[in-house]
Amino acid sequence: MNKPVRLRYQTIEFENVDIHVCTLRDNQQYSDPGNVALRLGISSATWPLFGIIWPSSLVLAHYMANYDTAEKRILEVGCGMALSSLLLNQRNDDVTATDYHPEVGVFLERNTELNQGRPIGYQRVDWADKTSDLGAFDLIIGSDVLYEDEHIHLLADFIDKHANPTSEVIIVDPGRGRKTKFSRRMEEHGYSWSHDKPEETDYLEEPYKGHILRFWRDEA
């Protein structure tokens, strides 16, 4: 018999902005009574990737806290707990969140209400889906999204499909060994790129070993 899913609530501070989030208390607790996740290919072995705020998500959100997003249409890919989307939503930015996990939308709605924000546009998206109707964006962001080698081409091609000709991409990668291959694929789509260490990570419990991957192209 499955035990009830246990939740935790926390507040993450960004200078003068507080973001309240509900996450799983124990991301090892697997709950898929209707086999929805299983039918999507998400097994009990990969479930622990979901449900908490990962260090890379914190790095991305802190980076976006001081990023110029004025008048940009923004897409967060593989959003998970969507911390960056919640923060950008508090600034009244035009942000859309996407993920493949079936529970993300539930948590996003709950956390948007916790922050008394306006509803955030959300779609459950498979990067391999060629029929996605998300449209095009000026800025695409994500954190810790290059888990497997197959994600290099899938994500780069998905971004290219949904990015405006002149656009920016910011991916925070914890160091899974795929950042250069991914950047080369993005280069094939016309992007220049850089890999930078985050300047300040004192909000993390341990030193951050990853990089902020920045991409930009201008086809105006």
Side-chain angles (χ1 to χ4, degrees):
M1 180 177 179
N2 289 334
K3 296 180 180 179
V5 173
R6 299 189 67 196
L7 304 174
R8 67 175 298 200
Y9 293 85
Q10 56 188 303
T11 297
I12 302 173
E13 299 178 8
F14 299 91
E15 296 181 353
N16 62 341
V17 177
D18 293 336
I19 299 298
H20 312 292
V21 288
C22 169
T23 66
L24 295 179
R25 182 178 295 273
D26 177 9
N27 69 322
Q28 298 290 331
Q29 186 176 15
Y30 181 69
S31 179
D32 186 27
N35 291 326
V36 176
L38 186 62
R39 287 195 295 271
L40 295 174
I42 301 171
S43 67
S44 57
T46 57
W47 185 276
L49 299 175
F50 167 75
I52 64 173
I53 302 292
W54 293 99
S56 293
S57 176
L58 284 167
V59 172
L60 177 61
H62 279 273
Y63 188 76
M64 298 310 301
N66 297 304
Y67 202 83
D68 182 9
T69 55
E71 299 183 3
K72 290 183 172 68
R73 188 170 188 238
I74 307 164
L75 174 68
E76 183 174 8
V77 295
C79 67
M81 293 292 97
L83 180 60
S84 290
S85 289
L86 292 167
L87 175 63
L88 294 171
N89 194 50
Q90 290 300 99
R91 298 204 311 225
N92 293 316
D93 283 335
D94 181 0
V95 60
T96 299
T98 61
D99 203 294
Y100 189 57
H101 198 286
E103 295 296 319
V104 168
V106 175
F107 277 87
L108 180 61
E109 183 176 357
R110 180 195 295 259
N111 286 326
T112 302
E113 292 175 353
L114 279 177
N115 291 280
Q116 299 180 336
R118 62 182 182 180
I120 296 174
Y122 173 76
Q123 283 194 35
R124 191 183 66 78
V125 169
D126 183 346
W127 295 336
D129 185 0
K130 304 298 184 183
T131 63
S132 172
D133 61 353
L134 282 167
F137 296 82
D138 307 300
L139 174 61
I140 298 177
I141 63 175
S143 61
D144 203 355
V145 287
L146 298 171
Y147 290 108
E148 308 289 347
D149 286 342
E150 65 177 337
H151 294 160
I152 293 170
H153 282 68
L154 282 175
L155 179 56
D157 294 353
F158 179 85
I159 288 173
D160 181 57
K161 174 179 170 59
H162 293 291
N164 281 317
T166 297
S167 55
E168 303 169 85
V169 180
I170 298 169
I171 303 293
V172 175
D173 183 73
R176 297 188 183 275
R178 299 179 179 89
K179 68 180 187 297
T180 300
K181 290 182 179 179
F182 177 74
S183 297
R184 295 299 184 191
R185 182 63 176 177
M186 291 291 287
E187 193 172 49
E188 294 176 12
H189 289 306
Y191 284 92
S192 301
W193 52 273
S194 69
H195 298 167
D196 304 304
K197 296 290 291 185
E199 294 181 0
E200 300 280 347
T201 58
D202 55 357
Y203 47 84
L204 298 178
E205 295 180 358
E206 298 179 0
Y208 190 71
K209 298 179 180 179
H211 290 79
I212 297 172
L213 316 184
R214 293 186 57 247
F215 306 90
W216 61 93
R217 70 180 179 190
D218 187 350
E219 298 184 5

